[in-house]
Amino acid sequence: MSNSPRRLIVGNWKMNGLTADLSEIEEVAWNIGELSADVAICPPATLLQSAVRITAGSRILLGAQDCSAQEGGAYTGDISARMIADCRARIVILGHSERRQYQCETDAIVRRKAEIALSAGLIPVICVGETEAEHLRQETLAVLKSQLQDCLPAALNETAVVIAYEPVWSIGTGRVPDQGEILAAHTFIRSSLIDAYGSVGAQLRILYGGSVKPENSAEILALENVDGVLVGGASLRAASFLRICEATGT
Ligand code: PEP
């Protein structure tokens, strides 16, 4: 365990959260002091700067849920990686299946965003995972192989990229792959990262995401090569998110 990367727990608020909900982030920020894991919340962009301000001095990391594939300029409505870094946010989720589905994001776009995020000093959390149909056809590893080949930045010289394995059919459904399936996916991702980046790949964090709750987080986090979790619904309330964070131990 001692050679394992430091764990990372990320909350993805999606398109949820108004000013009144900032108190949930504050509560998380001031209650993670003794944990040995890194903890991050990615609220909607409208709350990012306020979230950074009210948690200054705590250990929480703040992040965005997406960034533009462009550096800047005439792209109405987009938010650049540099703008996110300028808010003093530290991470950015990229290639979430909801963006792939609703915004038609391709692997090539995700790779471009990851490269721009890295050059802005952000940690990209790159999401990969199979659909339900692909799962039923037992194509999970083939899908992961192709997504990793096409999404990962070409070169990395530090452990600044995070991969999140998120089976699409598990997101928001309450259905979680069995332990053997999670283990197989994470083992495959780890060997792909080592193939791509050598010893750096052995230290990159691989998160599991999909219906993680306080009730199942400890058993998921105990699996080899699961270096943390990406949490949607259960991250919206401080009480449930903190229980998941606490499953990493002190
Ligand atoms: C997610 O949105 O990345 C996610 C994993 O959602 P949930 O935890 O609600 O399944």
Side-chain angles (χ1 to χ4, degrees), residues 13-18 25 42-49 51 63-65:
W13 277 22
K14 313 193 187 198
M15 199 169 70
N16 296 292
L18 300 173
I25 298 180
C42 300
T46 47
L47 296 183
L48 201 45
Q49 207 153 31
Q65 299 169 16

Side-chain angles (χ1 to χ4, degrees), residues 12 14 96 98 166 170-173 209-213 230-233:
N12 171 17
K14 313 193 187 198
H96 190 282
E98 288 151 15
E166 296 213 299
S170 176
I171 295 176
T173 62
S211 296
V212 174
K213 306 278 177 254
L230 177 52
V231 186

Side-chain angles (χ1 to χ4, degrees), residues 9-30:
I9 312 297
V10 181
N12 171 17
W13 277 22
K14 313 193 187 198
M15 199 169 70
N16 296 292
L18 300 173
T19 309
D21 301 302
L22 285 167
S23 58
E24 303 290 333
I25 298 180
E26 234 175 339
E27 189 177 335
V28 172
W30 301 113

Side-chain angles (χ1 to χ4, degrees), residues 33 37 58 60 93 97 125 150 162 166 178 181 192 224-225 235:
S58 78
I60 200 167
I93 298 171
S97 64
V125 177
D150 295 342
V162 175
E166 296 213 299
D178 65 39
E181 289 174 312
S192 306
E224 202 175 347
N225 286 311
S235 71

Side-chain angles (χ1 to χ4, degrees), residues 15-78:
M15 199 169 70
N16 296 292
L18 300 173
T19 309
D21 301 302
L22 285 167
S23 58
E24 303 290 333
I25 298 180
E26 234 175 339
E27 189 177 335
V28 172
W30 301 113
N31 283 285
I32 52 168
E34 303 303 314
L35 295 181
S36 56
D38 294 327
V39 175
I41 293 184
C42 300
T46 47
L47 296 183
L48 201 45
Q49 207 153 31
S50 305
V52 167
R53 188 170 33 77
I54 62 172
T55 60
S58 78
R59 289 185 41 230
I60 200 167
L61 304 171
L62 278 310
Q65 299 169 16
D66 180 44
C67 70
S68 173
Q70 309 298 331
E71 307 262 3
Y75 299 97
T76 303
D78 278 5

